[in-house]
Amino acid sequence: MPSSELHVPDLDAVERSDEEQQDNSKTVINDLHCCFNPLENWRKTANHELNEQVFEWFCNARSKNIPITGKLIQEKAVMLSVELGLDDFSASNGWLDRFQKRRNISCSVLSGEGASVNEETVNDWCSHLESICEGYSLKDIFNADETGLFYRALPTRSQVIRGDKCHGSKNSKERITVLLGCSATGEKLTPLVIGRAANPRCFRGYSTSSLPVTYQANKRAWMTSTIFKDWLQKLNNKMTLEKRKIIMFVDNCAAMTLSNVKLVFLPPNTTARLQPCVGGINKAVKSTYRKKTSSPHPP
């Protein structure tokens, strides 16, 4: 006959089981951390202290946006090895390769001018942005920027047969200037294109007024104050007809008073951070142009 007594669990055993489960969880977490953290997974080398000092120097230099080459890392390592009394150390290419793998260091192309921007100036200007745009809706806040387009340049990358030498041809330096403008809501202004010839051969049979862009020309295909003022005046006339008043953010230009377009100039040397067109719009337009002109069946 079964006993009617209640079975009281062993609390000590339950407590021990919980502790073992926690220990197992910690072990799994530590294993995962080791797998995803390459530095933890590498064993310490005989030159561990030297490597640490070289990496500290590297991080300090890159925080100041100083370009660092592999040769420079090797020279610094030799200097530090002398200070540490490591007479048998040799900053070989093999050491450099292992050092870079351990620290996840790779060679990259440095581009853009963001490092030269004064953050204090940017933050101060951004703090006043709301008051600058006061009274204007998003559809009436515009930005315009000019960019150079090397319209005959070929791609710098190509599919090749493995093992073949990668030779290219000299790229064309012929360029035109394109002025792009758009609003905060995505309204696009008619692009202004500046070429070198007033009537290029490719325009034969067409009038400039029938083009989907506004076309101007001068000997160097550069933006001039006269061309920009003319473009602004036409934009002002357009906004007057639409009974709109807009605000336009631009880099810099000659002062100009317009009835329906208010010009606001961005602080000097802050284009890389504050210019919306530089933030991706110019690149997107150029990429679309390259894609269409590189197509086997161009439009």
Side-chain angles (χ1 to χ4, degrees):
M1 184 175 179
S3 173
S4 60
E5 293 182 2
L6 293 174
H7 175 69
V8 180
D10 186 352
L11 295 180
D12 290 338
V14 172
E15 212 172 281
R16 283 196 303 273
S17 177
D18 289 342
E19 288 178 357
E20 289 174 1
Q21 195 170 8
Q22 288 177 4
D23 290 340
N24 290 335
S25 299
K26 288 180 181 178
T27 303
V28 172
I29 292 172
N30 289 335
D31 289 343
L32 288 173
H33 176 72
C34 186
C35 290
F36 289 103
N37 188 343
L39 289 181
E40 294 291 338
N41 212 20
W42 290 96
R43 63 182 178 81
K44 290 186 178 181
T45 63
N47 301 318
H48 177 72
E49 185 179 353
L50 171 66
N51 294 341
E52 288 293 322
Q53 291 191 22
V54 173
F55 186 63
E56 183 180 351
W57 164 82
F58 174 82
C59 292
N60 185 46
R62 285 303 303 136
S63 67
K64 299 175 182 176
N65 296 300
I66 300 173
I68 302 296
T69 63
K71 185 67 175 176
L72 200 56
I73 293 176
Q74 288 172 300
E75 291 178 359
K76 185 64 179 179
V78 170
M79 291 173 58
L80 290 173
S81 68
V82 174
E83 295 178 8
L84 295 173
L86 302 175
D87 299 329
D88 58 343
F89 175 76
S90 175
S92 62
N93 291 335
W95 170 86
L96 177 63
D97 182 61
R98 292 189 296 273
F99 175 80
Q100 291 174 326
K101 285 181 179 178
R102 287 172 181 271
R103 303 295 176 172
N104 200 26
I105 297 173
S106 62
C107 183
S108 301
V109 177
L110 303 181
S111 59
E113 301 174 357
S116 61
V117 175
N118 188 316
E119 291 294 333
E120 187 176 345
T121 303
V122 172
N123 294 334
D124 180 64
W125 192 84
C126 288
S127 65
H128 296 92
L129 185 59
E130 188 174 349
S131 60
I132 294 172
C133 297
E134 189 175 357
Y136 294 91
S137 60
L138 286 177
K139 67 183 180 65
D140 294 326
I141 300 175
F142 282 79
N143 170 240
D145 184 47
E146 63 180 89
T147 183
L149 175 64
F150 293 91
Y151 62 96
R152 285 188 173 179
L154 297 173
T156 56
R157 294 176 179 271
S158 174
Q159 298 293 321
V160 297
I161 297 175
R162 192 183 299 275
D164 282 2
K165 292 183 179 180
C166 302
H167 292 305
S169 58
K170 186 177 181 180
N171 249 335
S172 172
K173 296 296 182 182
E174 292 187 58
R175 69 186 290 277
I176 57 176
T177 298
V178 182
L179 177 70
L180 301 171
C182 60
S183 73
T185 56
E187 178 185 350
K188 301 177 183 67
L189 299 177
T190 302
L192 169 64
V193 177
I194 307 171
R196 298 182 64 180
N199 293 294
R201 290 181 182 178
C202 58
F203 285 5
R204 189 173 296 173
Y206 299 91
S207 64
T208 54
S209 59
S210 65
L211 297 174
V213 300
T214 302
Y215 184 76
Q216 295 284 354
N218 58 50
K219 289 183 179 180
R220 296 193 175 185
W222 285 355
M223 174 67 75
T224 64
S225 58
T226 303
I227 292 176
F228 188 63
K229 285 181 178 179
D230 181 61
W231 181 80
L232 280 174
Q233 188 60 60
K234 290 178 180 178
L235 177 63
N236 186 68
N237 295 340
K238 178 178 180 289
M239 294 303 165
T240 302
L241 291 174
E242 295 178 3
K243 297 180 180 180
R244 293 173 63 186
K245 287 185 179 290
I246 67 170
I247 183 171
M248 173 74 72
F249 290 93
V250 293
D251 282 340
N252 51 60
C253 69
M256 191 174 179
T257 304
L258 299 165
S259 60
N260 289 59
V261 178
K262 178 184 177 182
L263 292 179
V264 176
F265 304 111
L266 299 173
N269 302 320
T270 59
T271 299
R273 289 291 305 278
L274 297 178
Q275 178 66 273
C277 283
V278 175
I281 297 174
N282 291 349
K283 183 178 179 181
V285 171
K286 290 180 182 180
S287 297
T288 303
Y289 171 81
R290 298 283 177 222
K291 184 178 180 180
K292 289 187 175 182
T293 56
S294 301
S295 170
H297 306 288

mmCIF file of all heavy atoms in Angstrom, residues 58 62 65-69 105-115 156-157 283:
data_model
loop_
_atom_site.group_PDB
_atom_site.id
_atom_site.type_symbol
_atom_site.label_atom_id
_atom_site.label_comp_id
_atom_site.label_asym_id
_atom_site.label_seq_id
_atom_site.Cartn_x
_atom_site.Cartn_y
_atom_site.Cartn_z
ATOM 1 N N PHE A 58 49.505 52.730 -32.593
ATOM 2 C CA PHE A 58 48.701 52.715 -33.818
ATOM 3 C C PHE A 58 47.334 53.362 -33.576
ATOM 4 O O PHE A 58 46.890 54.204 -34.364
ATOM 5 C CB PHE A 58 48.527 51.270 -34.297
ATOM 6 C CG PHE A 58 47.607 51.117 -35.472
ATOM 7 C CD1 PHE A 58 48.060 51.331 -36.770
ATOM 8 C CD2 PHE A 58 46.269 50.778 -35.281
ATOM 9 C CE1 PHE A 58 47.205 51.197 -37.857
ATOM 10 C CE2 PHE A 58 45.415 50.645 -36.366
ATOM 11 C CZ PHE A 58 45.886 50.857 -37.661
ATOM 12 N N ARG A 62 45.837 56.784 -35.361
ATOM 13 C CA ARG A 62 44.630 56.776 -36.181
ATOM 14 C C ARG A 62 43.525 57.654 -35.594
ATOM 15 O O ARG A 62 42.700 58.192 -36.324
ATOM 16 C CB ARG A 62 44.107 55.345 -36.348
ATOM 17 C CG ARG A 62 44.900 54.489 -37.296
ATOM 18 C CD ARG A 62 45.015 55.096 -38.698
ATOM 19 N NE ARG A 62 43.706 55.340 -39.275
ATOM 20 C CZ ARG A 62 43.374 56.449 -39.912
ATOM 21 N NH1 ARG A 62 44.243 57.449 -40.050
ATOM 22 N NH2 ARG A 62 42.162 56.606 -40.408
ATOM 23 N N ASN A 65 43.753 60.761 -37.137
ATOM 24 C CA ASN A 65 43.597 60.657 -38.600
ATOM 25 C C ASN A 65 44.931 60.723 -39.344
ATOM 26 O O ASN A 65 45.019 61.261 -40.444
ATOM 27 C CB ASN A 65 42.651 61.743 -39.115
ATOM 28 C CG ASN A 65 41.252 61.592 -38.577
ATOM 29 O OD1 ASN A 65 40.596 60.575 -38.800
ATOM 30 N ND2 ASN A 65 40.803 62.589 -37.840
ATOM 31 N N ILE A 66 45.976 60.173 -38.726
ATOM 32 C CA ILE A 66 47.288 60.099 -39.374
ATOM 33 C C ILE A 66 47.361 58.806 -40.184
ATOM 34 O O ILE A 66 47.113 57.732 -39.643
ATOM 35 C CB ILE A 66 48.420 60.128 -38.323
ATOM 36 C CG1 ILE A 66 48.362 61.416 -37.515
ATOM 37 C CG2 ILE A 66 49.785 59.970 -38.994
ATOM 38 C CD1 ILE A 66 49.343 61.451 -36.350
ATOM 39 N N PRO A 67 47.671 58.876 -41.476
ATOM 40 C CA PRO A 67 47.781 57.649 -42.280
ATOM 41 C C PRO A 67 48.947 56.780 -41.797
ATOM 42 O O PRO A 67 50.051 57.282 -41.581
ATOM 43 C CB PRO A 67 48.047 58.173 -43.703
ATOM 44 C CG PRO A 67 47.633 59.608 -43.681
ATOM 45 C CD PRO A 67 47.884 60.093 -42.289
ATOM 46 N N ILE A 68 48.700 55.497 -41.622
ATOM 47 C CA ILE A 68 49.723 54.567 -41.147
ATOM 48 C C ILE A 68 49.903 53.452 -42.166
ATOM 49 O O ILE A 68 48.940 52.781 -42.540
ATOM 50 C CB ILE A 68 49.339 53.955 -39.779
ATOM 51 C CG1 ILE A 68 49.120 55.052 -38.737
ATOM 52 C CG2 ILE A 68 50.410 52.987 -39.304
ATOM 53 C CD1 ILE A 68 50.362 55.860 -38.412
ATOM 54 N N THR A 69 51.130 53.251 -42.615
ATOM 55 C CA THR A 69 51.438 52.172 -43.553
ATOM 56 C C THR A 69 52.061 51.003 -42.808
ATOM 57 O O THR A 69 52.484 51.135 -41.650
ATOM 58 C CB THR A 69 52.411 52.661 -44.636
ATOM 59 O OG1 THR A 69 53.652 53.039 -44.008
ATOM 60 C CG2 THR A 69 51.847 53.862 -45.386
ATOM 61 N N ILE A 105 43.563 44.520 -38.330
ATOM 62 C CA ILE A 105 43.984 45.721 -39.055
ATOM 63 C C ILE A 105 44.032 45.395 -40.546
ATOM 64 O O ILE A 105 44.586 44.370 -40.942
ATOM 65 C CB ILE A 105 45.373 46.204 -38.581
ATOM 66 C CG1 ILE A 105 45.308 46.616 -37.105
ATOM 67 C CG2 ILE A 105 45.869 47.364 -39.435
ATOM 68 C CD1 ILE A 105 46.667 46.942 -36.512
ATOM 69 N N SER A 106 43.451 46.242 -41.350
ATOM 70 C CA SER A 106 43.468 46.052 -42.805
ATOM 71 C C SER A 106 43.837 47.359 -43.479
ATOM 72 O O SER A 106 43.759 48.434 -42.876
ATOM 73 C CB SER A 106 42.102 45.563 -43.297
ATOM 74 O OG SER A 106 41.113 46.530 -43.007
ATOM 75 N N CYS A 107 44.219 47.280 -44.725
ATOM 76 C CA CYS A 107 44.600 48.462 -45.498
ATOM 77 C C CYS A 107 43.355 48.990 -46.221
ATOM 78 O O CYS A 107 42.700 48.252 -46.956
ATOM 79 C CB CYS A 107 45.689 48.109 -46.507
ATOM 80 S SG CYS A 107 46.290 49.538 -47.439
ATOM 81 N N SER A 108 43.027 50.243 -45.993
ATOM 82 C CA SER A 108 41.851 50.849 -46.603
ATOM 83 C C SER A 108 42.211 52.172 -47.251
ATOM 84 O O SER A 108 43.189 52.828 -46.847
ATOM 85 C CB SER A 108 40.741 51.071 -45.565
ATOM 86 O OG SER A 108 40.362 49.849 -44.973
ATOM 87 N N VAL A 109 41.414 52.560 -48.235
ATOM 88 C CA VAL A 109 41.625 53.847 -48.899
ATOM 89 C C VAL A 109 41.006 54.944 -48.041
ATOM 90 O O VAL A 109 39.845 54.853 -47.632
ATOM 91 C CB VAL A 109 40.978 53.850 -50.295
ATOM 92 C CG1 VAL A 109 41.143 55.212 -50.963
ATOM 93 C CG2 VAL A 109 41.594 52.767 -51.165
ATOM 94 N N LEU A 110 41.783 55.984 -47.750
ATOM 95 C CA LEU A 110 41.285 57.118 -46.981
ATOM 96 C C LEU A 110 40.634 58.087 -47.948
ATOM 97 O O LEU A 110 41.257 58.546 -48.895
ATOM 98 C CB LEU A 110 42.434 57.810 -46.229
ATOM 99 C CG LEU A 110 43.238 56.912 -45.275
ATOM 100 C CD1 LEU A 110 44.324 57.731 -44.584
ATOM 101 C CD2 LEU A 110 42.321 56.285 -44.232
ATOM 102 N N SER A 111 39.368 58.401 -47.714
ATOM 103 C CA SER A 111 38.659 59.297 -48.621
ATOM 104 C C SER A 111 37.808 60.273 -47.836
ATOM 105 O O SER A 111 37.487 60.052 -46.667
ATOM 106 C CB SER A 111 37.767 58.496 -49.575
ATOM 107 O OG SER A 111 36.838 57.740 -48.830
ATOM 108 N N GLY A 112 37.441 61.365 -48.508
ATOM 109 C CA GLY A 112 36.585 62.369 -47.876
ATOM 110 C C GLY A 112 37.386 63.370 -47.064
ATOM 111 O O GLY A 112 38.583 63.213 -46.818
ATOM 112 N N GLU A 113 36.680 64.422 -46.644
ATOM 113 C CA GLU A 113 37.321 65.502 -45.893
ATOM 114 C C GLU A 113 36.730 65.633 -44.499
ATOM 115 O O GLU A 113 36.877 66.657 -43.848
ATOM 116 C CB GLU A 113 37.137 66.827 -46.661
ATOM 117 C CG GLU A 113 37.717 66.797 -48.073
ATOM 118 C CD GLU A 113 37.385 68.049 -48.848
ATOM 119 O OE1 GLU A 113 36.645 68.907 -48.297
ATOM 120 O OE2 GLU A 113 37.854 68.191 -49.982
ATOM 121 N N GLY A 114 36.030 64.577 -44.054
ATOM 122 C CA GLY A 114 35.362 64.647 -42.757
ATOM 123 C C GLY A 114 36.310 64.906 -41.600
ATOM 124 O O GLY A 114 35.931 65.510 -40.600
ATOM 125 N N ALA A 115 37.568 64.447 -41.726
ATOM 126 C CA ALA A 115 38.503 64.602 -40.616
ATOM 127 C C ALA A 115 38.903 66.051 -40.392
ATOM 128 O O ALA A 115 39.342 66.427 -39.306
ATOM 129 C CB ALA A 115 39.760 63.762 -40.883
ATOM 130 N N THR A 156 37.080 51.448 -63.242
ATOM 131 C CA THR A 156 38.436 51.086 -62.820
ATOM 132 C C THR A 156 38.532 49.613 -62.434
ATOM 133 O O THR A 156 39.618 49.127 -62.140
ATOM 134 C CB THR A 156 38.863 51.950 -61.621
ATOM 135 O OG1 THR A 156 37.897 51.804 -60.568
ATOM 136 C CG2 THR A 156 38.947 53.422 -62.016
ATOM 137 N N ARG A 157 37.408 48.904 -62.424
ATOM 138 C CA ARG A 157 37.394 47.475 -62.103
ATOM 139 C C ARG A 157 36.828 46.691 -63.267
ATOM 140 O O ARG A 157 35.980 47.190 -64.014
ATOM 141 C CB ARG A 157 36.569 47.205 -60.841
ATOM 142 C CG ARG A 157 37.162 47.800 -59.578
ATOM 143 C CD ARG A 157 36.242 47.575 -58.393
ATOM 144 N NE ARG A 157 36.803 48.115 -57.175
ATOM 145 C CZ ARG A 157 37.600 47.459 -56.357
ATOM 146 N NH1 ARG A 157 37.914 46.201 -56.625
ATOM 147 N NH2 ARG A 157 38.071 48.012 -55.264
ATOM 148 N N LYS A 283 26.668 61.187 -55.219
ATOM 149 C CA LYS A 283 27.188 59.854 -55.529
ATOM 150 C C LYS A 283 26.123 58.988 -56.194
ATOM 151 O O LYS A 283 26.404 58.235 -57.133
ATOM 152 C CB LYS A 283 27.690 59.179 -54.250
ATOM 153 C CG LYS A 283 28.323 57.828 -54.488
ATOM 154 C CD LYS A 283 28.843 57.224 -53.194
ATOM 155 C CE LYS A 283 29.464 55.859 -53.445
ATOM 156 N NZ LYS A 283 29.962 55.238 -52.184
#
